[in-house]
Every structure is written in C-alpha cells, then in structure tokens.
Amino acid sequence: MTRGHTVGVIGAGMAGLACARELAAKGFDVTVFDKGRGLGGRTATRRAEPNLRFDHGAQFFTVADPLFREVTDDWLARGVVAEWIGRIVRLENKTVIDSSRQPRYVGMPGMSAMAVDLAVGLCVRTATQITAVTHSAVGWTIVTEANETVGPFDTLVVTLPAPQTAGLLGSHHFGAVASNVKMTACWTVMAAFESRVELPWEGAFVHDSPLAWVARNSSKPGRAREANCWVLQASPEWSAAHLEASADRVSKDLFEAFAAVVAGPMPSHRYVVAHRWRYGQCSEPDERRMLFDPKMGLAVCGDWLAGGRVEGAFLAGIKAADAIREHRDQELRDS
Ligand SMILES: Cc1cc2nc3c(=O)[nH]c(=O)nc-3n(C[C@H](O)[C@H](O)[C@H](O)COP(=O)(O)OP(=O)(O)OC[C@H]3O[C@@H](n4cnc5c(N)ncnc54)[C@H](O)[C@@H]3O)c2cc1C
C-alpha cells in the first residue's frame, strides 16, 4: 500500500538505519545518505595497520527496553553482537571499585557491526555529505556537497547530532529545538602496545584525571588479543578545554594520563592516534525520542532526543518510522 512513498534519511548511525530498516520493511522506498565512508556514525570501528581495530566511539551498549532486547537477542543468535564479559571498574581516589555487573554488549568484530547488519538490503549512499534541504509542493529536495540535487522525497528524516541538525534545518521550528541542545566533545586516543599492559581489569571509568574511560579493546570478544589495542577517552571537561589542540598534542597528553593510571611499567607502543568527536555525547538529552511534522513530512530523531546512548538512538529511529507509517496510513484511509 505504501509502495511509492519515498523517504530520504540523512545519517546512517543507529537512529537513521533503524528508521530506514523499519520503513523499508513496511514498503516505503527509502534512501539513506551519510557523509562517512563507513556505516554506524558514532558506533564506529577504526581499522589501522597492521591488523589493528579500535572501537573509538561507543564502547559497548546495554539493554533495558523489551523491543531492543528482542533485537539484541536476534543479533546475539546470529553472532552480530556478543557479551563483553571483561571486568569493568571505577578508579576513584586510587581505589579500584568493581562496576555493576549488568550485561554489556559489543558488535562483532567491531562496534559498527550492528549498523552493517541493519543496512543489509537498504539503499545507502555513503561518502555523501548533505549541505542543504529544501521543501516545496513536490516534497523534499536534498543537495549534496558535490552539488548534486536528489529527490524529491515525500518524507525527510534527519538523524544528525543536534548542532548539525540545527545547521541543516535552520529556519524550521525543529532546527530551533536542536540548536538549544548541547553536545559534549570527546577526544579519543587509540593505542596499540608491543605486549600486554598488566592491569587487573579490562575497562575503567576514571576519576580525577583528564581521562574518563579506558578500555582494553583487545579483550572484547572477536578481537585479536595479541594486538594489545587500548582506547583512551578524555572527559568532556578536558575535551572542551583542548577542543582545538593538535591531535599529536592530545595523543601525548592522554598517553601520559594513561601512564599515570597504569602507575607501573608500560610496554612500548607501536601505534598512537587521536580522534576528536566534536559532537560526542549529549549531556542533557531530551526524552521525546523524535519530532514529527506531518504537514511537511519531516521527522527528526537521534540520541539527543532519546537518552544519549546506542539503545536510545535505535528506539528513536523506530519511533520516527512508526510516526511516518501511521501518518501515511491515515492519509490513505482519508483519501
Ligand atoms: C566517544 C563516545 C563514546 C560513547 N560511548 C557509548 C557507550 O559506551 N554506550 C552507548 O550506548 N553509547 C555511547 N556513545 C553514544 C552513542 O555512540 C550514540 O548515542 C549513538 O551512536 C548515536 O547514534 P545516532 O544515530 O543518533 O547518531 P550518529 O551515530 O552520530 O549518526 C549520525 C550520522 O550522520 C552522519 N552525518 C552527519 N552530518 C551529515 C551530513 N551533513 N550529511 C550526511 N551525513 C551526515 C554522520 O556521519 C553519522 O553517521 C558514545 C559516543 C561517543 C562519541
């Protein structure tokens, strides 16, 4: 019934792909656009030579919602994700405190695996940055960085971090909503060592340090243990204070902070690279999950409307898809 209704989805992170997949399953004609070369947005996996892999964005995800539980169980059954059993601690005042034992899941063999799975069978255009969107009587038209005009689409779904959503939707009311949402930066260092770093845990929430989180990436299931890969993530405060610092400077500073955490002999490193997430996480997410303007056929969703995490982003995408489908069904009944 809904075949022929076209939807353009901007962003191939968890929100965009969950939305696109749900709509495609209901017969909508969906095209997804992402500026990145790969899929997953902030559920990212960085590959580096030789044979190094780092989850430099989201570290793991947890599950609370029954629908996301169902999806995660299916991913577990098919080997798309696995539980990370490693010991996770908090480091506070030189004390090691075990963190809660709630199940933590990771993509296999990297955090982008969930996005790759969601995208199967979808029309996704990667390496396509959208620079403008316009609405007219025929629907939504999208302009790419290469100045290509795509569309029109009956419905547009924008799933970018809040500041980028605001930039794209400028004059629309949703642009104004997005412009009021603050997102914190996160400097992340990916480091590989010649041998094992001797610490009695696999991941730690760090206090009283430039670092907020460190993880033995190689301890996650499906990763090569002998690669000795670590991910070191700075606190929002430190990242904000060093937002425009050079990647080399940041690598050096955060590496030193890690040495202080290890507080003992460290094997020599063979790879250290820093990555800046300018719009890393949302400190005070709105909880509406998505915004929908049925008159214009515009939906906005993403983690900044849904708890600021992987699970929230996924559920936001599904909720946006539900709203679009319900509206379309109503239109069909009315016509
Ligand atoms: C360092 C870090 C650590 C984190 N750790 C965790 C964690 O451990 N657990 C957890 O649950 N969550 C974590 N998160 C949060 C989690 O990654 C996000 O909540 C979730 O991935 C957001 O998904 P999304 O689809 O809303 O947005 P995104 O993943 O950001 O997707 C948006 C997409 O839009 C694309 N895009 C942007 N602008 C344009 C444009 N103009 N044109 C085309 N495409 C565009 C981007 O390339 C991106 O792929 C972390 C995030 C960061 C940065």
Side-chain angles (χ1 to χ4, degrees):
M1 283 279 277
T2 47
R3 198 162 292 283
H5 185 117
T6 54
V7 183
V9 176
I10 309 180
M14 291 302 283
L17 290 172
C19 180
R21 190 174 176 81
E22 188 71 8
L23 288 174
K26 296 286 182 321
F28 286 78
D29 180 358
V30 187
T31 310
V32 184
F33 303 87
D34 199 290
K35 68 177 181 178
R37 273 179 295 141
L39 302 171
R42 281 170 280 156
T43 53
T45 308
R46 170 77 65 91
R47 289 192 183 85
E49 296 301 325
N51 302 324
L52 304 178
R53 274 169 195 253
F54 302 90
D55 301 323
H56 62 307
Q59 297 296 290
F60 56 81
F61 67 89
T62 51
V63 180
D65 181 272
L67 172 63
F68 194 54
R69 175 78 268 162
E70 232 175 82
V71 173
T72 302
D73 285 345
D74 174 57
W75 280 334
L76 282 165
R78 292 189 291 115
V80 176
V81 307
E83 189 177 340
W84 182 23
I85 312 276
R87 183 182 176 208
I88 309 296
V89 301
R90 273 186 298 130
L91 303 179
E92 244 177 288
N93 298 325
K94 299 196 184 327
T95 315
V96 179
I97 306 159
D98 275 285
S99 190
S100 74
R101 290 207 169 267
Q102 62 175 330
R104 298 178 173 88
Y105 301 100
V106 295
M108 294 274 281
M111 284 301 281
S112 58
M114 296 86 75
V116 171
D117 186 66
L118 288 172
V120 170
L122 292 178
C123 172
V124 184
R125 287 185 56 179
T126 51
T128 307
Q129 179 159 359
I130 306 306
T131 52
V133 294
T134 48
H135 186 254
S136 69
V138 290
W140 287 94
T141 305
I142 286 175
V143 180
T144 72
E145 197 180 27
N147 227 8
E148 180 195 359
T149 300
V150 195
F153 295 100
D154 298 313
T155 302
L156 182 70
V157 185
V158 179
T159 73
L160 315 182
Q164 292 166 325
T165 297
L168 209 55
L169 294 181
S171 61
H172 189 279
H173 165 61
F174 293 165
V177 174
S179 69
N180 285 324
V181 175
K182 300 257 173 310
M183 296 198 63
T184 56
C186 179
W187 270 110
T188 296
V189 167
M190 295 158 271
F193 294 87
E194 296 291 356
S195 59
R196 187 182 152 82
V197 179
E198 289 304 338
L199 286 167
W201 40 260
E202 275 65 58
F205 297 98
V206 188
H207 295 254
D208 315 314
S209 162
L211 291 165
W213 165 258
V214 297
R216 192 192 302 276
N217 202 92
S218 301
S219 73
K220 294 179 179 177
R223 279 73 169 169
R225 286 193 172 250
E226 65 284 3
N228 293 304
C229 291
W230 280 78
V231 170
L232 322 173
Q233 294 183 327
S235 68
E237 298 74 25
W238 194 93
S239 298
H242 297 80
L243 193 61
E244 302 304 336
S246 74
D248 285 350
R249 180 75 249 165
V250 168
S251 297
K252 199 167 171 296
D253 289 354
L254 294 183
F255 201 77
E256 272 171 24
F258 184 51
V261 168
V262 174
M266 278 232 291
S268 54
H269 60 272
R270 57 195 166 109
Y271 181 89
V272 183
V273 166
H275 174 88
R276 180 184 60 193
W277 296 99
R278 186 178 283 278
Y279 306 119
Q281 276 175 292
C282 190
S283 43
E284 291 166 20
D286 194 313
E287 296 296 342
R288 282 178 281 180
R289 288 199 179 160
M290 62 99 203
L291 308 169
F292 182 50
D293 177 343
K295 267 199 185 140
M296 288 182 86
L298 174 67
V300 170
C301 64
D303 67 334
W304 57 276
L305 282 161
R309 307 186 73 75
V310 169
E311 177 176 32
F314 178 92
L315 294 169
I318 298 292
K319 193 162 178 205
D322 286 347
I324 293 164
R325 182 187 46 74
E326 276 163 24
H327 177 64
R328 182 67 189 143
D329 289 351
Q330 188 61 49
E331 276 190 337
L332 287 170
R333 279 195 295 275
D334 293 347
S335 63

